[in-house]
Amino acid sequence: MEVSGTLLGFDGNYYRVDTQYGELTVDGSGVLCDGPGCPSLTPYVAEVSISGSRNIGDLLMPALVEGFATQSGMKAERVKIDETHFEYVLSLAATDTPVGRFQFRVTNTDEGFADLLAGEADLVMAVREIRKRELALAAEVGLGQLDDVNRSHVLALDALTAIVSPKNPVSAVSVLDLARILGGEIDNWRDFGGPDAPISIHMHDDNAGIAQAIEDRIMREAGYSLVEGVTRHTSSMGLAQAVTQDQWSIGVVSYSDIGSSKPLALTGPCGFELRANRLTIKTEDYPLTAPLFLYIPARRLPKLARDFLSYTRSASAQIIERRAGFVDQAPEEIDLNAQGDRFANAIRLLEAEEDLAALKQMVEKLAPSQRLSTSFRFEAGSTRLDAQSRSNVQHLAHAIKAGVYDGRQLMFVGFSDGEGPADGNLRISQQRAQIVKNAIEAAVSAADLPKVLMSTASFGEALPMACDDTSWGRQVNRRVEVWVQ
């Protein structure tokens, strides 16, 4: 049989060919390839093109490639091409034989998706979730459903953090008031108990992924648009430095890029304060947690690329993520005694005697256990897990398969926001706990399930994390926690 067309790629085992019948994947064994585009089969060098966010591409991805090479018995040589392009040549340490080439184009999330759609990238580095239009375009050109769990890979965790100068006396702001500042409705620090001084706003360039995340997560949710006349910056470091030096300014940066500026806590009228730190980001208790993504098209990648993606979920990769200033996804166990603020806040909001009885029942149930930092939340108005939680399913399933929880008990505990009747909230929180338990069981092989005892519990609105007055607070409160004994 003869197949003619444009050679799209070769991964060492399979050819991808664009033919009159569409894109075909052809087993390379026994194939004779004729034409100027045919690859050299001996020796084969895998090539992977990676494009997108500078926040990820400047430090995190290079560190992961170097760690992967070291663990795999290879050496990685970085070659700079120009200001936005570089590559890593991976060679066998023993023979110096090249086996792979990771080619990077580091710009922004928009450019990464554009390169993927144009067939010029194999992986996209993104600091925001893929948007609906990008999803539709990717599906149209045969790249698959990019928000599926196998197409959307969370590399590490970060957070959108409001920052001010260390000289600014203001220490907290609500998410809604932050949107009102960025939208120009509030323009003076006296509205927050500060001095009579105008607020100056510093932001990233509007095509940067973090600027788009602010638009998606903060502004659009509150019904505001960014005010005109803000000071724009091309880098997070430059933005943070400018805010540090301008006493009456405000900006929003990644948690990893705070630098010497002062981060503001997120607050609300009920008095809760949530600060961005490693644990609140990892548990997604901080309302503006922002995963860092690799988006992977529905096509066969070279084995070297598949091995690299598997490596990014390993324990050694989690260490590299922490050293790079980001928050890793490795589950941690948190003692009940280390959660005093959560229970103190719950007690402050008690309104009736039955509320106290419910809280007492919850403490008695959870006291013998420890909370895992792995939590689960859902997309707004949906029973579908959000992007970070879909990744958490894979991480927890991987730990169960590895025997981390053999002989132990995992309890999935559902909570709700405070809107609606208490009975209904209790029922909904139980349904959510069961959904998460089912997802974990589906991701773990049947052979591993008998080694871990899994159960569910629910306590409705008994343990709020944030004020229920905004959609951000309610989203944080609707969650499923994992407790281990």
Side-chain angles (χ1 to χ4, degrees), residues 1-5 15 17 19-21 24-34:
M1 183 178 70
E2 180 177 294
V3 175
S4 299
Y15 295 90
V17 186
T19 75
Q20 67 186 82
Y21 309 106
L24 300 181
T25 302
V26 183
D27 188 340
S29 58
V31 168
L32 296 177
C33 180
D34 184 34

Side-chain angles (χ1 to χ4, degrees), residues 64 311 314-326 328-330:
L64 287 171
Y311 167 79
S314 68
S316 58
Q318 307 305 307
I319 295 172
I320 289 173
E321 290 164 11
R322 290 197 294 271
R323 288 176 177 171
F326 298 96
D328 65 280
Q329 301 174 82

Side-chain angles (χ1 to χ4, degrees), residues 6-9 14-18 23-25 299-300:
T6 302
L7 183 65
L8 300 176
Y14 288 83
Y15 295 90
R16 286 192 305 111
V17 186
D18 186 12
E23 184 176 318
L24 300 181
T25 302
R299 63 171 178 245
R300 186 180 175 89

Side-chain angles (χ1 to χ4, degrees), residues 212-376:
Q212 295 167 353
I214 293 167
E215 176 69 26
D216 294 346
R217 299 283 302 279
I218 300 175
M219 305 303 291
R220 189 175 300 153
E221 188 78 20
Y224 289 93
S225 297
L226 186 67
V227 68
E228 298 289 336
V230 303
T231 303
R232 296 284 189 174
H233 297 268
T234 58
S235 72
S236 292
M237 183 180 299
L239 194 159
Q241 287 176 347
V243 170
T244 300
Q245 295 166 6
D246 182 352
Q247 184 173 355
W248 306 121
S249 66
I250 191 170
V252 181
V253 297
S254 297
Y255 171 74
S256 56
D257 293 320
I258 289 172
S260 55
S261 65
K262 182 173 82 171
L264 296 180
L266 297 182
T267 188
C270 67
F272 286 13
E273 282 196 357
L274 289 167
R275 296 187 178 276
N277 60 48
R278 188 174 55 80
L279 276 180
T280 60
I281 293 172
K282 183 177 284 194
T283 58
E284 215 177 343
D285 291 344
Y286 182 74
L288 298 178
T289 296
L292 304 179
F293 296 96
L294 269 185
Y295 282 97
I296 308 160
R299 63 171 178 245
R300 186 180 175 89
L301 295 174
K303 184 177 184 302
L304 188 71
R306 301 197 302 271
D307 290 345
F308 170 73
L309 291 174
S310 297
Y311 167 79
T312 61
R313 295 192 187 277
S314 68
S316 58
Q318 307 305 307
I319 295 172
I320 289 173
E321 290 164 11
R322 290 197 294 271
R323 288 176 177 171
F326 298 96
V327 177
D328 65 280
Q329 301 174 82
E332 298 180 37
E333 298 184 15
I334 311 168
D335 289 333
L336 192 69
N337 292 336
Q339 304 178 52
D341 287 348
R342 299 207 309 158
F343 289 95
N345 288 335
I347 293 170
R348 280 168 48 195
L349 292 183
L350 291 177
E351 295 180 352
E353 194 169 316
E354 55 265 29
D355 294 337
L356 180 60
L359 185 62
K360 181 180 178 182
Q361 179 187 10
M362 180 185 67
V363 172
E364 290 175 349
K365 180 81 170 178
L366 300 180
S369 306
Q370 294 179 307
R371 181 193 177 189
L372 280 189
S373 59
T374 303
S375 300
F376 300 90

Side-chain angles (χ1 to χ4, degrees), residues 427-450:
R427 187 166 54 254
I428 291 170
S429 61
Q430 175 60 39
Q431 291 171 352
R432 289 181 178 135
Q434 188 63 48
I435 288 171
V436 174
K437 179 175 177 286
N438 292 345
I440 296 297
E441 289 175 342
V444 178
S445 66
D448 294 312
L449 285 175

